[in-house]
Amino acid sequence: GAVVSQHPSRVICKSGTSVKIECRSLDFQATTMFWYRQFPKQSLMLMATSNEGSKATYEQGVEKDKFLINHASLTLSTLTVTSAHPEDSSFYICSAEGGIDEQYFGPGTRLTVT
Amino acid sequence: QKEVEQNSGPLSVPEGAIASLNCTYSDRGSQSFFWYRQYSGKSPELIMSIYSNGDKEDGRFTAQLNKASQYVSLLIRDSQPSDSATYLCAVSRTGANNLFFGTGTRLTVIP
């Protein structure tokens, strides 16, 4: 149980384009999902908390107009990186909340912006 | 002061030995504590959760929590080369619904 999927697993896009990443909880419902970013050899950095049916809560320093989050159902949250630039290249990981504060992570999406 | 602190390592242990990973946290009111394992290039995988003082054992893994001293540790018995990974400590802080992660300890088990 507690399986979270992400799609795509890897994406390469040109600078200035937008990329959408999907995060799905496959066998449980998740009112809350989280989006993280991880640069090489660094720890996870929380970008935003996504709550079903309401606006996401962004961490300080994360541009909400650049990283659009939609959590339209209890099993799906999406992150859209708008007007991507090379500095946005990173490993994006979502997680879904299940159990007592437990988070289950998706496999991650490696974004490369050329 | 960081919310959650871990020794970044690397920590190297021989195969079959006990690996001991430590984590301290700053918020005394924290209630939920987790250990995640992350292989290189992969996302974190939950391996242990602990909510009350004392030890919690699951197979070769034992999590230890001491709220008075504000530390949580993970012991890996009979370490295997496949245990080589970065271990992340995460803490749920009072009043927040997100987890605070440490920077991780890189463990290498030498065959």
Side-chain angles (χ1 to χ4, degrees):
Chain A
V3 178
V4 177
S5 70
Q6 262 184 261
H7 178 79
S9 58
R10 189 179 295 268
V11 58
I12 301 172
C13 70
K14 292 187 177 181
S15 185
T17 61
S18 296
V19 174
K20 179 186 282 190
I21 303 170
E22 292 186 350
C23 176
R24 294 181 186 272
S25 57
L26 298 185
D27 51 0
F28 66 104
Q29 294 183 328
T31 304
T32 304
M33 291 184 173
F34 303 89
W35 287 96
Y36 295 84
R37 181 168 52 183
Q38 187 175 38
F39 293 105
K41 299 190 186 301
Q42 295 186 24
S43 190
L44 298 170
M45 187 192 82
L46 178 65
M47 299 176 66
T49 301
S50 169
N51 294 300
E52 187 266 338
S54 64
K55 291 184 178 180
T57 302
Y58 291 81
E59 295 300 302
Q60 192 173 8
V62 178
E63 300 174 56
K64 62 179 181 179
D65 294 330
K66 181 172 180 61
F67 299 99
L68 302 179
I69 292 173
N70 184 281
H71 193 158
S73 78
L74 289 172
T75 59
L76 174 64
S77 176
T78 61
L79 167 68
T80 301
V81 183
T82 62
S83 187
H85 288 94
E87 57 267 29
D88 297 323
S89 298
S90 187
F91 191 40
Y92 291 85
I93 312 172
C94 74
S95 70
E97 188 176 65
I100 307 173
D101 295 330
E102 292 179 347
Q103 289 186 28
Y104 298 93
F105 285 86
T109 297
R110 192 161 302 281
L111 170 64
T112 303
V113 184
T114 61
Chain B
Q1 182 184 12
K2 293 182 180 178
E3 295 276 355
V4 181
E5 297 208 45
Q6 292 180 256
N7 187 324
S8 62
L11 172 66
S12 294
V13 299
E15 184 174 355
I18 296 175
S20 177
L21 305 163
N22 299 310
C23 170
T24 59
Y25 58 94
S26 62
D27 182 12
R28 187 170 288 278
S30 298
Q31 298 182 357
S32 304
F33 308 86
F34 307 91
W35 283 99
Y36 286 85
R37 176 176 62 198
Q38 186 175 24
Y39 292 112
S40 181
K42 303 294 184 182
S43 65
E45 173 192 10
L46 178 65
I47 55 173
M48 289 287 284
S49 59
I50 187 166
Y51 304 99
S52 56
N53 278 326
D55 295 359
K56 179 182 178 182
E57 187 175 317
D58 183 1
R60 295 187 296 112
F61 299 98
T62 299
Q64 299 175 318
L65 175 61
N66 184 324
K67 289 188 177 182
S69 301
Q70 294 175 240
Y71 85 78
V72 56
S73 63
L74 179 70
L75 300 177
I76 306 175
R77 289 182 300 282
D78 188 23
S79 296
Q80 301 297 309
S82 57
D83 295 327
S84 298
T86 296
Y87 289 80
L88 300 168
C89 172
V91 174
S92 170
R93 189 162 62 86
T94 308
N97 69 340
N98 57 295
L99 294 179
F100 291 85
F101 283 86
T103 53
T105 298
R106 188 156 53 93
L107 171 67
T108 300
V109 180
I110 303 168

